[in-house]
Amino acid sequence: MGTQPGRSVTSKVLALLDAFSPATPALTLSELARRAELPLPTAHRRVAELVAWGALERGDDGRYRIGLRLWEVGSLAPRGLGLRELALPIMEDLYEVTHENVQLAVRQDLELVFIERIAGRRAVPVLTRVGGRFALHATGVGLVLLAYAPTEVQERVLAAPLERYTELTVTDPVRLRRRLAEVRRVGYAMSDRQVTMDALSIAAPIRAPEGVVAAISLVVAHDRADPVALAPLVQAAGRVLSRALGTYRQPTGRVPLRSRHERQ
Amino acid sequence: MGTQPGRSVTSKVLALLDAFSPATPALTLSELARRAELPLPTAHRRVAELVAWGALERGDDGRYRIGLRLWEVGSLAPRGLGLRELALPIMEDLYEVTHENVQLAVRQDLELVFIERIAGRRAVPVLTRVGGRFALHATGVGLVLLAYAPTEVQERVLAAPLERYTELTVTDPVRLRRRLAEVRRVGYAMSDRQVTMDALSIAAPIRAPEGVVAAISLVVAHDRADPVALAPLVQAAGRVLSRALGTYRQPTGRVPLRSRHERQ
DNA sequence: GACCGGCTTTCATCCAATGAAAACAGGCCT
DNA sequence: AGGCCTGTTTTCATTGGATGAAAGCCGGTC
């Protein structure tokens, strides 16, 4: 046959889902086939099945998009909506007190994923998107998640080139390592103009019995008078959430902690 | 072979995802196999691939749960997070003004799916869950979505037995049909104690160029003084959102409106 | 009216998927 | 310790679902 035999059908289906991204939420069949590296007829067949089930939807423009059914199933992810449900009230409290941006993120492999965000209208604009990914080495939540990640994860992040976002972004592995130690020591992270030159964020860990599973942060204007004064606030929120996680039980068991695998 | 030949691999993979529900967010391999009606070894293999990709995660208790990667992909659904992003500011406005529960829902086949909810702490408790489903014939959002659904959908709902939730729930197809006509005439729906005896909801349609794609509602205490006075408020929110939808364009095209298919 | 890009269907071939069976791993009761 | 569960993982011979080249189809465009 033509393209590499040895690919499972499942992997092809997943490759089709992988083709979608925040930048490309709508794709034609040809684009899908190209991105998933599948022959057109194959893509056609698999996509038809996905549409029939509701994993994909076909718009009136002929393009395919992620379907509501997949969103429904995805909403069952304990580290997604589950965590969000738990955290939202505390995030709202934090917003009420500060009227600044509040963010919640978890680590997935070597990046972070934003689970929820409360964007204050009067606050600094932030460019994050719920469901979006970002590097671990720059943001407040990223530094927290990295600081408490398994050594192996830290080493892999430190080994790779660290992207620079502003002139202040720490891209030196040695300096970053020192910052991570500092984060562990004080129990919170401050990221000053590491991503944009107008913002600064303060983040704290959220712990479950097995370790740090998420991070919460405030994003404020970089020239705010007393950023450090916010740290206890964010830390308190983190501790409340940690307690909630510790006692939280699903009907059929606890929120999972870290997946046993690392992608790729 | 053993179990019915004629099932595609893809359908088996999707059946595994289908096994998860709000009531069963964590399953053992055996439970998964049972629910998906697959032999254990088959389930074992497919599940392993899903875990490797991140669609499922295996907790320290050995149970499988929906993985963050699937949540990420699901968050790309235009009718899910896409709609939510657009609607949230208006929903927050509605909350600020009323301090009552605000709900956003879309129709999926013969049911509705809640996309977002703002639950006022001081408001009537509502039992809905983001990502959860509910029947169309009782709630405010449901009545709106049903009233503006294709005739074929209405007929199918009216033909099936209508579940009763309270002594006031309208379960007579003839009366329901009259109510739907009324909703279309006045442009909003009021559901008084149809789901619980303490709540009442007022809902309005959200229109895209192709028709009604979602509904927004307020849920208040049933004995509130002036429920009808809320209607213009909800309708205004609906109209603002309709306008936003009309002009909203994704990088690669418009939000899809209704999928071309009906499930099952 | 011929061309072109994208989509859909056909059909003979074959390898990934399959499931019965058996091995394996704990937990629990005796 | 031994036996007996329940649940998970591996093996291996067999086969049917998946495959992709090729051809047909559709709608727009030069």
Side-chain angles (χ1 to χ4, degrees), chain A residues 128-256:
Chain A
T128 56
R129 200 193 81 93
V130 172
R133 290 175 165 246
F134 208 83
L136 286 171
H137 68 275
T139 64
V141 277
L143 288 172
V144 166
L145 292 172
L146 187 54
Y148 294 98
T151 323
E152 183 254 336
V153 171
Q154 293 180 11
E155 292 309 322
R156 283 208 283 156
V157 171
L158 287 163
L162 301 166
E163 189 169 347
R164 165 176 300 286
Y165 302 101
T166 72
E167 48 193 289
L168 292 179
T169 307
V170 174
T171 58
D172 175 24
V174 178
R175 278 192 62 200
L176 182 54
R177 206 182 288 271
R178 268 201 296 269
R179 296 200 66 193
L180 294 180
E182 178 74 4
V183 169
R184 281 188 296 267
R185 195 175 62 78
V186 299
Y188 71 92
M190 174 165 314
S191 152
D192 187 3
R193 285 166 289 175
Q194 297 288 296
V195 181
T196 62
M197 283 305 279
D198 58 356
L200 171 159
S201 76
I202 297 108
I206 298 170
R207 298 162 191 277
E210 319 69 24
V212 172
V213 293
I216 187 169
S217 79
L218 281 174
V219 182
V220 304
H222 87 93
D223 52 0
R224 191 187 156 108
D226 54 343
V228 182
L230 295 171
L233 218 56
V234 181
Q235 284 180 297
R239 271 194 297 271
V240 171
L241 271 169
S242 302
R243 185 174 314 264
L245 265 177
T247 52
Y248 175 63
R249 289 289 182 284
Q250 292 259 357
T252 36
R254 181 157 25 58
V255 170

Side-chain angles (χ1 to χ4, degrees), chain A:
Chain A
M1 285 193 190
T3 33
Q4 28 162 262
R7 259 183 103 180
S8 73
V9 178
T10 308
S11 78
K12 291 173 195 171
V13 169
L14 295 174
L16 285 168
L17 297 184
D18 250 336
F20 293 91
S21 75
T24 58
L27 299 167
T28 66
L29 182 62
S30 308
E31 288 168 338
L32 262 168
R34 210 171 308 134
R35 284 167 177 273
E37 297 183 74
L38 293 174
L40 213 80
T42 301
H44 181 248
R45 280 183 289 249
R46 296 303 126 240
V47 164
E49 281 194 276
L50 290 172
V51 168
W53 187 78
L56 300 182
E57 291 178 5
R58 187 163 201 187
D60 294 0
D61 56 359
R63 284 200 166 82
Y64 294 94
R65 294 174 179 77
I66 298 295
L68 192 66
R69 186 77 191 87
L70 201 64
W71 177 84
E72 269 187 82
V73 176
S75 77
L76 296 171
R79 297 207 297 153
L81 253 189
L83 181 59
R84 183 229 177 201
E85 298 276 275
L86 212 67
L88 199 52
I90 288 113
M91 292 178 71
E92 279 165 352
D93 288 347
L94 215 44
Y95 177 74
E96 281 308 314
V97 177
T98 62
H99 280 275
E100 302 281 4
N101 303 291
V102 185
Q103 299 190 320
L104 178 72
V106 302
R107 182 177 64 82
Q108 171 83 335
D109 306 321
L110 303 187
E111 295 181 296
L112 64 83
V113 177
F114 288 107
I115 299 299
E116 184 55 294
R117 185 195 71 181
I118 298 180
R121 300 202 189 184
R122 294 165 289 273
V124 215
V126 283
L127 25 71
T128 56
R129 200 193 81 93
V130 172
R133 290 175 165 246
F134 208 83
L136 286 171
H137 68 275
T139 64
V141 277
L143 288 172
V144 166
L145 292 172
L146 187 54
Y148 294 98
T151 323
E152 183 254 336
V153 171
Q154 293 180 11
E155 292 309 322
R156 283 208 283 156
V157 171
L158 287 163
L162 301 166
E163 189 169 347
R164 165 176 300 286
Y165 302 101
T166 72
E167 48 193 289
L168 292 179
T169 307
V170 174
T171 58
D172 175 24
V174 178
R175 278 192 62 200
L176 182 54
R177 206 182 288 271
R178 268 201 296 269
R179 296 200 66 193
L180 294 180
E182 178 74 4
V183 169
R184 281 188 296 267
R185 195 175 62 78
V186 299
Y188 71 92
M190 174 165 314
S191 152
D192 187 3
R193 285 166 289 175
Q194 297 288 296
V195 181
T196 62
M197 283 305 279
D198 58 356
L200 171 159
S201 76
I202 297 108
I206 298 170
R207 298 162 191 277
E210 319 69 24
V212 172
V213 293
I216 187 169
S217 79
L218 281 174
V219 182
V220 304
H222 87 93
D223 52 0
R224 191 187 156 108
D226 54 343
V228 182
L230 295 171
L233 218 56
V234 181
Q235 284 180 297
R239 271 194 297 271
V240 171
L241 271 169
S242 302
R243 185 174 314 264
L245 265 177
T247 52
Y248 175 63
R249 289 289 182 284
Q250 292 259 357
T252 36
R254 181 157 25 58
V255 170
L257 325 142
R258 48 210 160 73
S259 58
R260 214 164 257 177
H261 77 284
E262 290 292 326
R263 273 222 302 149
Q264 280 154 12

Side-chain angles (χ1 to χ4, degrees), chain B residues 19 35 37 65 87 90 99 101 114 136 164 181 189 211 215-216 235 256:
Chain B
R35 284 167 177 272
E37 297 182 77
R65 295 175 179 76
I90 289 111
H99 280 274
N101 302 291
F114 288 106
L136 286 171
R164 165 175 301 286
I216 187 169
Q235 285 180 298

Side-chain angles (χ1 to χ4, degrees), chain B residues 90-168:
Chain B
I90 289 111
M91 293 177 71
E92 279 166 352
D93 289 347
L94 215 44
Y95 177 74
E96 283 308 314
V97 177
T98 63
H99 280 274
E100 301 282 4
N101 302 291
V102 185
Q103 298 190 320
L104 178 71
V106 301
R107 181 176 64 82
Q108 171 84 333
D109 305 321
L110 303 187
E111 296 182 295
L112 64 83
V113 177
F114 288 106
I115 300 299
E116 183 55 295
R117 184 195 71 180
I118 298 180
R121 301 203 188 185
R122 292 165 289 272
V124 215
V126 283
L127 24 74
T128 57
R129 199 194 81 95
V130 172
R133 291 176 165 247
F134 207 84
L136 286 171
H137 68 276
T139 63
V141 277
L143 288 172
V144 166
L145 292 171
L146 188 53
Y148 294 99
T151 324
E152 183 255 334
V153 171
Q154 293 180 11
E155 292 309 322
R156 283 209 281 157
V157 171
L158 287 162
L162 300 167
E163 190 171 344
R164 165 175 301 286
Y165 301 102
T166 72
E167 49 192 287
L168 292 179

